């Protein structure tokens, strides 16, 4: 799950009722719900909406001026500002069918702060550089970035789970990466910290697999 849309009360009821059918450590299951649960925990801890927390603690310090989690308003999820909406590209399904209007908000959850983030290639390059330690940033932010890359669980023989990042280990240099997408967009960010390079792929078509291309590029660069 989820296989349908949730309001906040429905989401909390589902979490309270959910029970795993495997013992911890026996099976790896991915769900968007993990990110939503983390956002709720942060909101309650700091008393601020998740978009404001991200703006204060990450986006503004890094100068990521074109990245946003749409603000709270009278819509179920929030809307892009007029300025950012004018720069948003049209999203497409995997069958080339347009999905909504440019800047449309997709997602399983129906309250603000739960849908797609929007960013520019420039901003994602900044984020990549920050994760590779190439920017002069506040020490506390750098410590948080390093903490997020540390593995906390084993997924498989070559795969480890960090805090959102997934880590691939083996004969080649370690890859730290994250793939994401919905029905109207697909994205990938990956890096080889030991080689100090990485790649960002942003696509406006849903249900694609840019991580496969991104990994090949990283491995070919590492082999040179």
């Amino acid at each position: 799950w989820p296989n349908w849309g949730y309001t906040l009360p429905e989401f909390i009821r589902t979490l309270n009722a959910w029970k795993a059918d495997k013992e911890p450590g026996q099976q790896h299951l991915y769900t968007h719900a993990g990110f939503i649960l983390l956002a709720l925990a942060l909101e309650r801890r700091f008393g601020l909406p998740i978009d404001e927390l991200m703006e204060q603690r990450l986006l503004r310090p890094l100068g990521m001026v074109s990245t946003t989690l749409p603000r709270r308003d009278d819509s179920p999820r929030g809307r892009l500002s007029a300025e950012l909406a004018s720069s948003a590209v049209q999203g497409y399904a995997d069958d080339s069918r347009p999905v909504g209007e440019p800047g449309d908000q997709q997602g399983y959850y129906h309250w603000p702060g739960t849908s797609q983030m929007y960013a520019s290639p420039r901003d994602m390059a900044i984020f990549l550089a920050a994760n590779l330690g190439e920017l002069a940033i506040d020490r506390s932010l750098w410590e948080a970035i390093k903490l997020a890359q540390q593995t906390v669980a084993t997924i498989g023989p070559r795969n480890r789970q960090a805090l959102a990042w997934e880590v691939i280990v083996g004969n080649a240099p370690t890859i730290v990466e994250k793939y994401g997408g919905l029905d109207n967009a697909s994205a990938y960010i990956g890096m080889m910290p030991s080689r100090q390079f990485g790649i960002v792929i942003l696509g406006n078509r849903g249900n694609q697999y840019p991580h496969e291309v991104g990994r090949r590029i990283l491995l070919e660069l590492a082999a040179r």
Side-chain angles (χ1 to χ4, degrees), residues 94-107:
D94 54 3
D95 61 359
S96 301
R97 173 180 48 84
V99 178
E101 300 294 328
D104 187 49
Q105 291 292 285
Q106 297 293 311

PDB file of all heavy atoms in Angstrom, residues 94-107:
ATOM      1  N   ASP A  94       3.309   7.205 -19.074  1.00  0.00           N
ATOM      2  CA  ASP A  94       4.242   6.390 -19.855  1.00  0.00           C
ATOM      3  C   ASP A  94       3.724   6.072 -21.242  1.00  0.00           C
ATOM      4  O   ASP A  94       4.480   5.605 -22.101  1.00  0.00           O
ATOM      5  CB  ASP A  94       4.602   5.109 -19.109  1.00  0.00           C
ATOM      6  CG  ASP A  94       3.384   4.307 -18.697  1.00  0.00           C
ATOM      7  OD1 ASP A  94       2.251   4.707 -19.025  1.00  0.00           O
ATOM      8  OD2 ASP A  94       3.567   3.257 -18.043  1.00  0.00           O
ATOM      9  N   ASP A  95       2.430   6.337 -21.509  1.00  0.00           N
ATOM     10  CA  ASP A  95       1.892   6.147 -22.852  1.00  0.00           C
ATOM     11  C   ASP A  95       1.837   7.461 -23.633  1.00  0.00           C
ATOM     12  O   ASP A  95       1.155   7.559 -24.647  1.00  0.00           O
ATOM     13  CB  ASP A  95       0.501   5.519 -22.783  1.00  0.00           C
ATOM     14  CG  ASP A  95      -0.506   6.388 -22.030  1.00  0.00           C
ATOM     15  OD1 ASP A  95      -0.120   7.481 -21.540  1.00  0.00           O
ATOM     16  OD2 ASP A  95      -1.669   5.964 -21.913  1.00  0.00           O
ATOM     17  N   SER A  96       2.573   8.489 -23.145  1.00  0.00           N
ATOM     18  CA  SER A  96       2.683   9.811 -23.783  1.00  0.00           C
ATOM     19  C   SER A  96       1.435  10.665 -23.625  1.00  0.00           C
ATOM     20  O   SER A  96       1.319  11.716 -24.249  1.00  0.00           O
ATOM     21  CB  SER A  96       3.034   9.693 -25.275  1.00  0.00           C
ATOM     22  OG  SER A  96       4.265   9.012 -25.446  1.00  0.00           O
ATOM     23  N   ARG A  97       0.504  10.249 -22.801  1.00  0.00           N
ATOM     24  CA  ARG A  97      -0.705  11.039 -22.548  1.00  0.00           C
ATOM     25  C   ARG A  97      -0.393  12.135 -21.537  1.00  0.00           C
ATOM     26  O   ARG A  97       0.186  11.871 -20.487  1.00  0.00           O
ATOM     27  CB  ARG A  97      -1.798  10.119 -22.012  1.00  0.00           C
ATOM     28  CG  ARG A  97      -3.067  10.810 -21.541  1.00  0.00           C
ATOM     29  CD  ARG A  97      -4.064   9.788 -21.033  1.00  0.00           C
ATOM     30  NE  ARG A  97      -3.452   8.856 -20.116  1.00  0.00           N
ATOM     31  CZ  ARG A  97      -3.287   9.091 -18.805  1.00  0.00           C
ATOM     32  NH1 ARG A  97      -3.658  10.261 -18.291  1.00  0.00           N
ATOM     33  NH2 ARG A  97      -2.728   8.172 -18.029  1.00  0.00           N
ATOM     34  N   PRO A  98      -0.769  13.415 -21.806  1.00  0.00           N
ATOM     35  CA  PRO A  98      -0.536  14.472 -20.823  1.00  0.00           C
ATOM     36  C   PRO A  98      -1.290  14.180 -19.524  1.00  0.00           C
ATOM     37  O   PRO A  98      -2.422  13.707 -19.538  1.00  0.00           O
ATOM     38  CB  PRO A  98      -1.092  15.727 -21.510  1.00  0.00           C
ATOM     39  CG  PRO A  98      -1.059  15.410 -22.967  1.00  0.00           C
ATOM     40  CD  PRO A  98      -1.342  13.943 -23.070  1.00  0.00           C
ATOM     41  N   VAL A  99      -0.640  14.452 -18.407  1.00  0.00           N
ATOM     42  CA  VAL A  99      -1.255  14.268 -17.097  1.00  0.00           C
ATOM     43  C   VAL A  99      -1.424  15.642 -16.468  1.00  0.00           C
ATOM     44  O   VAL A  99      -0.460  16.281 -16.045  1.00  0.00           O
ATOM     45  CB  VAL A  99      -0.389  13.376 -16.192  1.00  0.00           C
ATOM     46  CG1 VAL A  99      -1.031  13.251 -14.806  1.00  0.00           C
ATOM     47  CG2 VAL A  99      -0.202  12.002 -16.808  1.00  0.00           C
ATOM     48  N   GLY A 100      -2.665  16.134 -16.426  1.00  0.00           N
ATOM     49  CA  GLY A 100      -2.926  17.434 -15.842  1.00  0.00           C
ATOM     50  C   GLY A 100      -2.271  18.568 -16.608  1.00  0.00           C
ATOM     51  O   GLY A 100      -1.847  18.415 -17.757  1.00  0.00           O
ATOM     52  N   GLU A 101      -2.166  19.716 -15.945  1.00  0.00           N
ATOM     53  CA  GLU A 101      -1.506  20.883 -16.505  1.00  0.00           C
ATOM     54  C   GLU A 101      -0.073  20.956 -15.984  1.00  0.00           C
ATOM     55  O   GLU A 101       0.276  20.286 -15.022  1.00  0.00           O
ATOM     56  CB  GLU A 101      -2.276  22.152 -16.099  1.00  0.00           C
ATOM     57  CG  GLU A 101      -3.719  22.194 -16.562  1.00  0.00           C
ATOM     58  CD  GLU A 101      -3.835  22.279 -18.071  1.00  0.00           C
ATOM     59  OE1 GLU A 101      -2.930  22.906 -18.681  1.00  0.00           O
ATOM     60  OE2 GLU A 101      -4.802  21.745 -18.631  1.00  0.00           O
ATOM     61  N   PRO A 102       0.774  21.776 -16.618  1.00  0.00           N
ATOM     62  CA  PRO A 102       2.113  21.973 -16.065  1.00  0.00           C
ATOM     63  C   PRO A 102       2.039  22.439 -14.609  1.00  0.00           C
ATOM     64  O   PRO A 102       1.281  23.346 -14.276  1.00  0.00           O
ATOM     65  CB  PRO A 102       2.715  23.056 -16.966  1.00  0.00           C
ATOM     66  CG  PRO A 102       2.010  22.880 -18.273  1.00  0.00           C
ATOM     67  CD  PRO A 102       0.609  22.490 -17.908  1.00  0.00           C
ATOM     68  N   GLY A 103       2.799  21.785 -13.750  1.00  0.00           N
ATOM     69  CA  GLY A 103       2.740  22.104 -12.327  1.00  0.00           C
ATOM     70  C   GLY A 103       1.676  21.344 -11.575  1.00  0.00           C
ATOM     71  O   GLY A 103       1.468  21.566 -10.384  1.00  0.00           O
ATOM     72  N   ASP A 104       0.991  20.424 -12.256  1.00  0.00           N
ATOM     73  CA  ASP A 104      -0.059  19.647 -11.616  1.00  0.00           C
ATOM     74  C   ASP A 104       0.514  18.841 -10.457  1.00  0.00           C
ATOM     75  O   ASP A 104       1.648  18.381 -10.501  1.00  0.00           O
ATOM     76  CB  ASP A 104      -0.696  18.703 -12.638  1.00  0.00           C
ATOM     77  CG  ASP A 104      -1.909  17.986 -12.091  1.00  0.00           C
ATOM     78  OD1 ASP A 104      -2.781  18.658 -11.524  1.00  0.00           O
ATOM     79  OD2 ASP A 104      -1.979  16.760 -12.225  1.00  0.00           O
ATOM     80  N   GLN A 105      -0.291  18.650  -9.424  1.00  0.00           N
ATOM     81  CA  GLN A 105       0.144  17.936  -8.230  1.00  0.00           C
ATOM     82  C   GLN A 105      -0.439  16.530  -8.205  1.00  0.00           C
ATOM     83  O   GLN A 105      -1.654  16.348  -8.154  1.00  0.00           O
ATOM     84  CB  GLN A 105      -0.299  18.694  -6.979  1.00  0.00           C
ATOM     85  CG  GLN A 105       0.428  19.997  -6.770  1.00  0.00           C
ATOM     86  CD  GLN A 105       1.884  19.767  -6.430  1.00  0.00           C
ATOM     87  OE1 GLN A 105       2.214  19.372  -5.329  1.00  0.00           O
ATOM     88  NE2 GLN A 105       2.762  20.003  -7.372  1.00  0.00           N
ATOM     89  N   GLN A 106       0.440  15.550  -8.228  1.00  0.00           N
ATOM     90  CA  GLN A 106       0.030  14.159  -8.154  1.00  0.00           C
ATOM     91  C   GLN A 106       0.482  13.564  -6.822  1.00  0.00           C
ATOM     92  O   GLN A 106       1.408  14.054  -6.197  1.00  0.00           O
ATOM     93  CB  GLN A 106       0.642  13.361  -9.307  1.00  0.00           C
ATOM     94  CG  GLN A 106       0.188  13.823 -10.680  1.00  0.00           C
ATOM     95  CD  GLN A 106      -1.279  13.552 -10.916  1.00  0.00           C
ATOM     96  OE1 GLN A 106      -1.766  12.450 -10.677  1.00  0.00           O
ATOM     97  NE2 GLN A 106      -1.987  14.566 -11.362  1.00  0.00           N
ATOM     98  N   GLY A 107      -0.168  12.494  -6.401  1.00  0.00           N
ATOM     99  CA  GLY A 107       0.237  11.840  -5.166  1.00  0.00           C
ATOM    100  C   GLY A 107      -0.901  11.045  -4.567  1.00  0.00           C
ATOM    101  O   GLY A 107      -2.058  11.177  -4.972  1.00  0.00           O
TER     102      GLY A 107
END
